[in-house]
Amino acid sequence: MNHEACIGCGLCMLGCPAFEETGCEVLTAKGRNRALQAGLRAAEMTELIWACTMCGYCDAICPKDVQNVAIVLALRRELWGTPRRSRHEQADLVLGCTLRERLPELIPSIRRFVQRIGYRADVTDADCCGSLDVERGAVVPTRVRAGVVCDPICLEQYDGEFLGALAMRHLDMFDLKGRVYYFVPPRLVNRAPERFYALYDAMRRRFGCETNLDLNRLARCTGMSSVQGLSGEGRDVKAAVERLLATSRAERIITCSPADYLAFRDYSGRPVLFITECVRD
Ligand code: SF4
Ligand code: SF4
């Protein structure tokens, strides 16, 4: 944990969903680092630890390279005492629990797209891979090889190609009419901007769409992914969606994040499509 490097500049608060929701500085990376610098232990700062959605915004913008997501994870593991090791298997196509359990209607279009671009579409992840437990700090993360991973949260556990990135490399296969709003999978774009900005730029040039790459081109999120885990309990996702769309004239929303698909479908009042539903026949 490199919290000592934090200089308290507050840049990390600009796009922090915990700050947007609460206006409470102490629930941001800055507040957490201040508490650690003052000598507080994990057990004395539980609210600060669970407020974080792990979106990675603060890591991407921090001028001192403070590893805030790693700090939150370390603190969560400290709260659990001795985290167990997670259970895994090799996989061709990792759907993730959100798609399997809450959005099974999207699976056929995902499998069709994956097969058409030459990947195996066998679904082998019958059991949960444990990525939500990684987010909770209940397990020590381990890495497993996979072909295609459909949910950005599963990339906590699997090394594979992210479905959304693959889709953006095959734009010629898509039919994206009208003004569309692409919600960026925040963890990935904040953690690896050099990989994802180019893909989103290409999509914007080709289709003239809006994206939520604002605030110095860093992604802001609904915090929805953490609603799946323990950390987002009670999070006001509706308000987060309204904030993100406040100035958007988008006629429809297309996303490659299952959690954001749920958030926008439930709260945006606009048509929402998963990216693989837009593939031309
Ligand atoms: S941006 Fe970095 S240095 Fe500045 S307050 Fe946040 S964590 Fe600390
Ligand atoms: S990872 Fe996201 S939610 Fe957590 S402190 Fe950083 S900006 Fe806030």
Side-chain angles (χ1 to χ4, degrees), residues 79-91:
L79 288 177
W80 280 93
T82 313
R84 61 184 169 78
R85 296 202 75 77
S86 61
R87 147 181 66 84
H88 292 287
E89 58 185 58
Q90 192 90 15

Side-chain angles (χ1 to χ4, degrees), residues 89-95 100 120-127 158:
E89 58 185 58
Q90 192 90 15
D92 292 324
L93 176 62
V94 178
L95 293 170
R100 273 201 323 273
R120 290 174 62 90
D122 300 332
V123 177
T124 49
D125 56 339
D127 298 317
Y158 288 96

Side-chain angles (χ1 to χ4, degrees), residues 12-19 27-30 32 48-49 51-59 61 68-69 72 76 190 221 226 235:
C12 54
M13 292 162 51
L14 290 175
C16 173
F19 184 69
L27 298 181
T28 67
K30 175 183 174 180
R32 213 164 26 246
L48 286 61
I49 294 169
C52 177
T53 69
M54 293 179 41
C55 68
Y57 176 92
C58 49
D59 284 359
I61 203 168
N68 292 294
V69 171
V72 167
R76 288 180 184 177
N190 286 335
C221 72
S226 284
R235 191 167 300 284

